[in-house]
Amino acid sequence: MTTKRPPTTLEKMGLNSPMALALHLPSRYEDETELFTIEEALGLGRFQSIQTQGVVIRNQVLFRPRRQLLVTIEDDTASLQLRFLNFYPSQQKQMAVGSHVRVRGEVREGYLGAEMVHPIVRAVTPDAPLSASLTPVYPASAGISQTIIRKAVLQALRDASLKESLAEFLPPKLMAEILPSNDWPPLQEAIVYLHQPPADANTQSLLERTHSAWRRVQFEELLAQQISLKRAHAIRRERRAPSFKKDQPKTKASKVSSSIEEGLLKVLPFQLTGAQTRVWSEIGLDLSNAFPMNRLLQGDVGSGKTVIAALAAARAMDHGYQAAIMAPTEILAEQHYLKMREWFEPLGVKIAWLSGSLKAKEKRLAQEMIGGGDAQLIIGTHALIQDKVSFAKLGLAVIDEQHRFGVRQRLEIQQRVGSELFYCHQLMMSATPIPRTLAMTYYADLDVSVIDELPPGRKPITTKVVKAARRDEVIGGLHDWLVKGLQAYWVCPLIEESEVLQLQTAVESFEQLTKALPDFKVGLVHGRLKSEEKATVMAAFKANEIQLLVATTVIEVGVDVPNAALMVIEHAERFGYAQIHQLRGRVGRGSADSVCILMYAEPLSLAAKERLQTLRETSDGFVIAERDLSLRGPGELLGAKQSGDAMLRFVDLQRDAWLIELAQIAADRLLAEHGDLVERHLERWLGSRTEFLKA
Ligand code: ADP
Ligand code: MG
């Protein structure tokens, strides 16, 4: 047996080759190329980190208010206080009275006048040379110093292998034709520049990553991503999936009676809208292909996506395959389950229900039905994916509110029928539109259908923004509302830090409202309830046995009670754009005028104020999603916590949106005209990071 040495911290960070180190680019820079007098530093240093120097004239350890080292330096112009809350004896020695030090930091107003807290200190002679280039600061992890990374990077940049790894191989002719102006440096030059920018470099553009050296790197990274996405697209088209053509149902049963699809259209209490008809034909066409569908059905809250999912499921079942519908929460999955039973049971379809909260025995039974092929339609939470349920013959998977699942949970169900391996068709559904930049990058291999029309008879929702101080008034209005025979939701604040606290406030509101509205039945639903308990409350609300439903955000998606047209959201300032938009979509489903009251507590941050204002002014999901994206960045929208390294490293989708198009064109041309270079480019940029090939 060979014993392996443990990986170094650098290796753990993935910095295990000269190339990896070369591509470990600085996150910012520090300017040690300039030196200011203390007097100058006192003025300039309040806005930025600045370098100055002087002789130590005082050095003392104070014990109040806590142990700290206080050092004073001076030059011909002024003196400056340095304060260290943690320090080593060696530092104390380094800054002994009489020694000369060069320090760098920001100046702030302290107890005893202007001071630098924890500046970077070097003991040097007054005429020690300044550094010739900006000092890079690298992304680092705990337990590793900048010095070590800097050294490793410098060494890597001198490594002979880099010449080859960073060689210029994108055809100059192609680059010249695509790029707006040809002032980008060659790759190797760009990389070296970013690690060691000269003293006169444009610091601003370096920091903002808009410098031509950054552009060069960003372009290459995007190019790799575009190529890999185009590849993924091609790979999907080579995979096999069962073809579900409309007119050739394969099962004998469906020849005798009418098909499930036709039956469903007959039992529906409404006609499809024009938009629904259009998206259904797009999806129908995908399903008839012999390669797996990968389509997003996007439609604002309440636009009627569920019935499209049901139609797709019906088509799969008509061909003798199973269909599964998955949702992110129990409540939403249950809603689907109830709806599907209502629509499909009269047609004799066998439906299985599978969720995380089933008892072991029930779960086993459900799994047997699914694995044995007795269940034609399977409804559940994403436990369906996580528990690795084995399906007898799954032809279609529908994933509702797919953005909640994040990138990594995109499922890949492969099955063997006879000797043939096939994949199932996938339909994602979301009320959150994908902004254009994301559609062009992470979701580039996703076809999109949009329902851009609400079912007829919907009334616009009036949104009001109200101070929490007017709570009694709001409750008074709520009373008048209920008297009219209408129902309402009361949504309790989101308390991210603590589920217990969240529950507690929900219970308090519930008790207060029960007391304030004695003529009406008030219900409470929250995340801690068992799923049967939740279902009972929801069913009672649906049947108007409960008039006011107090709820935590568990009702965020999918709940559908048309008679409930008023929603009050407490502490609306704590919710994000998408959450309020989703919540608000619960009302406005019936014939009554709908109202959403956003109650907020003061003081309101500027961002929260803007958010509430936008939400009051628009209910357009696209506008809201764009605002949301600009606020949070795409990572969070995608579930970046899971996607991690799949993200682009140097590109910011908003700042660099215009580059995406260039990269797209370049990727097409490279694939068409220079197939031999494609592998090299991917290898350079992705190495082993192949995750985003699957996006
Ligand atoms: P979402 O897109 O938010 O999932 P749903 O599928 O839950 O929306 O539909 C919202 C409501 O609209 C449901 O009550 C549904 O039955 C109803 N609905 C869907 N399509 C139509 C239609 N074409 N005409 C009338 N009502 C419809
Ligand atoms: Mg829905």
Side-chain angles (χ1 to χ4, degrees):
M1 244 177 71
T2 52
T3 48
K4 263 187 162 173
R5 70 175 171 79
T8 64
T9 312
L10 278 175
E11 285 165 351
K12 275 193 228 149
M13 290 171 70
L15 303 177
N16 46 13
S17 67
M19 183 60 176
L21 281 156
L23 292 182
H24 192 65
L25 293 170
S27 47
R28 59 190 180 87
Y29 300 90
E30 267 162 9
D31 193 346
E32 291 175 342
T33 64
E34 277 188 290
L35 189 63
F36 295 88
T37 64
I38 292 183
E39 189 178 27
E40 287 166 332
L42 290 178
L44 292 167
R46 287 171 203 263
F47 311 105
Q48 59 191 323
S49 171
I50 204 161
Q51 187 165 248
T52 186
Q53 62 182 4
V55 177
V56 176
I57 55 167
R58 193 166 61 136
N59 174 322
Q60 60 183 153
V61 177
L62 298 184
F63 289 91
R64 240 166 270 186
R66 51 179 282 201
R67 186 166 177 269
Q68 52 183 295
L69 175 63
L70 215 59
V71 173
T72 311
I73 60 170
E74 72 170 16
D75 66 3
D76 300 340
T77 63
S79 66
L80 174 68
Q81 201 87 235
L82 313 176
R83 184 192 297 275
F84 301 85
L85 298 169
N86 302 300
F87 59 94
Y88 298 104
S90 58
Q91 278 176 302
Q92 215 179 330
K93 247 205 242 78
Q94 179 192 36
M95 290 178 280
V97 172
S99 53
H100 185 271
V101 291
R102 195 169 278 179
V103 299
R104 185 163 42 75
E106 282 176 40
V107 178
R108 55 157 227 179
E109 209 51 51
Y111 304 118
L112 308 167
E115 64 179 18
M116 277 187 185
V117 179
H118 283 254
I120 294 175
V121 180
R122 282 186 304 148
V124 293
T125 55
D127 53 359
L130 290 166
S131 83
S133 58
L134 295 172
T135 310
V137 179
Y138 291 102
S141 60
I144 190 154
S145 72
Q146 288 293 326
T147 323
I148 292 180
I149 302 183
R150 274 179 208 145
K151 245 199 191 132
V153 169
L154 281 183
Q155 200 179 339
L157 291 179
R158 283 194 295 264
D159 197 285
S161 71
L162 264 202
K163 215 175 174 70
E164 168 69 15
S165 326
L166 291 176
E168 196 63 21
F169 59 71
L170 294 181
K173 185 164 161 285
L174 188 150
M175 295 288 276
E177 280 168 28
I178 292 172
L179 300 182
S181 62
N182 227 344
D183 61 349
W184 290 353
L187 186 63
Q188 184 165 9
E189 209 176 286
I191 298 267
V192 171
Y193 191 95
L194 292 173
H195 284 294
Q196 300 172 295
D200 64 349
N202 182 337
T203 325
Q204 185 85 0
S205 68
L206 278 176
L207 287 175
E208 288 171 356
R209 300 195 168 190
T210 53
H211 192 279
S212 61
W214 274 119
R215 290 303 183 206
R216 179 59 212 243
V217 172
Q218 289 157 350
F219 175 76
E220 295 234 348
E221 180 174 51
L222 274 171
L223 181 59
Q225 196 208 31
Q226 289 300 325
I227 292 172
S228 63
L229 287 166
K230 284 176 199 296
R231 278 260 184 97
H233 186 74
I235 290 171
R236 173 161 66 89
R237 283 172 179 252
E238 277 162 19
R239 287 180 172 168
R240 303 274 305 150
S243 147
F244 301 146
K245 292 214 166 67
K246 182 172 168 40
D247 297 317
Q248 316 167 328
K250 281 178 190 149
T251 58
K252 285 187 191 119
S254 49
K255 265 182 203 153
V256 186
S257 58
S258 75
S259 70
I260 301 172
E261 183 181 335
E262 281 163 30
L264 172 64
L265 286 168
K266 274 190 205 125
V267 303
L268 282 182
F270 49 74
Q271 292 261 305
L272 295 188
T273 61
Q276 284 170 321
T277 308
R278 175 173 42 77
V279 300
W280 171 225
S281 77
E282 289 164 4
I283 291 167
L285 203 63
D286 280 1
L287 290 173
S288 71
N289 287 330
F291 59 88
M293 165 168 79
N294 186 30
R295 186 172 285 271
L296 173 74
L297 174 57
Q298 186 189 293
D300 213 338
V301 180
S303 61
K305 298 184 286 294
T306 317
V307 66
I308 304 299
L311 283 164
R315 172 97 29 112
M317 293 188 284
D318 276 330
H319 286 261
Y321 281 78
Q322 294 172 306
I325 301 180
M326 282 162 264
T329 65
E330 290 262 346
I331 289 229
L332 182 50
E334 278 168 23
Q335 290 261 327
H336 283 322
Y337 180 50
L338 296 176
K339 195 100 217 171
M340 296 303 151
R341 273 174 56 179
E342 180 187 320
W343 285 339
F344 282 123
E345 274 184 355
L347 305 172
V349 171
K350 296 219 175 49
I351 307 179
W353 163 243
L354 195 62
S355 85
S357 68
L358 285 185
K359 295 201 190 73
K361 191 176 159 208
E362 298 167 321
K363 201 180 267 180
R364 209 178 50 241
L365 272 175
Q367 279 171 341
E368 273 167 23
M369 268 181 80
I370 299 166
D374 294 328
Q376 295 166 279
L377 182 59
I378 299 102
I379 318 280
T381 56
H382 52 249
L384 278 179
I385 311 179
Q386 285 163 350
D387 296 355
K388 297 221 164 47
V389 173
S390 78
F391 296 90
K393 211 177 168 191
L394 187 68
L396 168 75
V398 180
I399 307 173
D400 201 2
E401 298 301 337
Q402 65 89 33
H403 65 282
R404 295 274 200 100
F405 287 82
V407 210
R408 282 281 171 84
Q409 278 185 1
R410 200 77 51 86
L411 81 171
E412 288 215 341
I413 296 179
Q414 300 178 24
Q415 297 160 99
R416 204 167 279 284
V417 169
S419 61
E420 208 179 347
L421 191 67
F422 74 87
Y423 290 78
C424 74
H425 294 286
Q426 280 183 53
L427 179 64
M428 275 72 78
M429 304 201 292
S430 177
T432 310
I434 297 182
R436 206 174 102 81
T437 47
L438 285 184
M440 288 169 78
T441 51
Y442 293 99
Y443 288 106
D445 184 35
L446 195 61
D447 299 308
V448 181
S449 290
V450 182
I451 306 185
D452 51 6
E453 175 188 356
L454 292 179
R458 291 285 166 79
K459 297 266 177 68
I461 304 167
T462 311
T463 298
K464 296 181 182 165
V465 178
V466 175
K467 270 187 212 159
R470 291 169 57 196
R471 188 185 180 101
D472 288 343
E473 229 173 287
V474 170
I475 296 176
L478 186 57
H479 178 264
D480 297 345
W481 180 270
L482 299 177
V483 166
K484 284 190 244 168
L486 293 164
Q487 292 167 274
Y489 298 96
W490 183 285
V491 181
C492 294
L494 177 76
I495 302 175
E496 271 174 355
E497 314 84 65
S498 157
E499 208 185 318
V500 178
L501 259 179
Q502 172 155 329
L503 180 57
Q504 192 180 320
T505 43
V507 170
E508 274 163 23
S509 290
F510 168 71
E511 284 168 354
Q512 187 203 12
L513 290 163
T514 306
K515 229 178 262 160
L517 302 163
D519 302 337
F520 301 99
K521 182 103 174 78
V522 182
L524 173 63
V525 59
H526 54 78
R528 286 285 181 89
L529 290 184
K530 292 211 188 74
S531 70
E532 306 98 77
E533 295 169 329
K534 267 186 267 178
T536 311
V537 180
M538 293 310 296
F541 187 57
K542 196 151 193 172
N544 201 358
E545 287 154 18
I546 287 174
Q547 285 78 47
L548 176 64
L549 185 66
V550 177
T552 56
T553 43
V554 292
I555 59 156
E556 190 174 333
V557 275
V559 175
D560 189 25
V561 181
N563 193 45
L566 171 68
M567 174 175 285
V568 180
I569 303 179
E570 266 191 89
H571 280 293
E573 78 280 1
R574 294 191 193 161
F575 294 87
Y577 273 114
Q579 276 173 318
I580 291 198
H581 184 60
Q582 292 271 0
L583 280 167
R584 184 169 60 178
R586 300 307 112 216
V587 298
R589 302 201 155 205
S591 49
D593 286 327
S594 304
V595 180
C596 177
I597 297 178
L598 304 177
M599 276 211 291
Y600 67 90
E602 289 173 303
L604 210 51
S605 71
L606 218 58
K609 194 167 177 177
E610 192 193 311
R611 195 158 60 231
L612 294 179
Q613 206 163 338
T614 303
L615 286 161
R616 185 183 60 207
E617 282 160 13
T618 181
S619 54
D620 184 331
F622 276 93
V623 175
I624 291 171
E626 286 288 346
R627 293 276 169 96
D628 203 20
L629 179 73
S630 71
L631 212 76
R632 298 191 298 166
E636 210 172 317
L637 203 68
L638 285 165
K641 286 181 192 103
Q642 299 157 56
S643 64
D645 56 350
M647 304 298 285
L648 293 161
R649 292 159 75 188
F650 308 121
V651 174
D652 176 303
L653 290 182
Q654 267 170 309
R655 182 193 58 209
D656 310 325
W658 62 280
L659 273 179
I660 303 173
E661 238 156 299
L662 295 185
Q664 228 168 27
I665 299 170
D668 278 332
R669 298 232 358 223
L670 215 57
L671 282 164
E673 299 161 24
H674 305 276
D676 51 320
L677 299 179
V678 167
E679 280 308 320
R680 261 180 97 185
H681 189 75
L682 284 183
E683 178 56 35
R684 166 185 289 178
W685 281 96
L686 304 182
S688 58
R689 303 188 318 136
T690 49
E691 271 81 17
F692 67 36
L693 298 182
K694 293 187 192 132

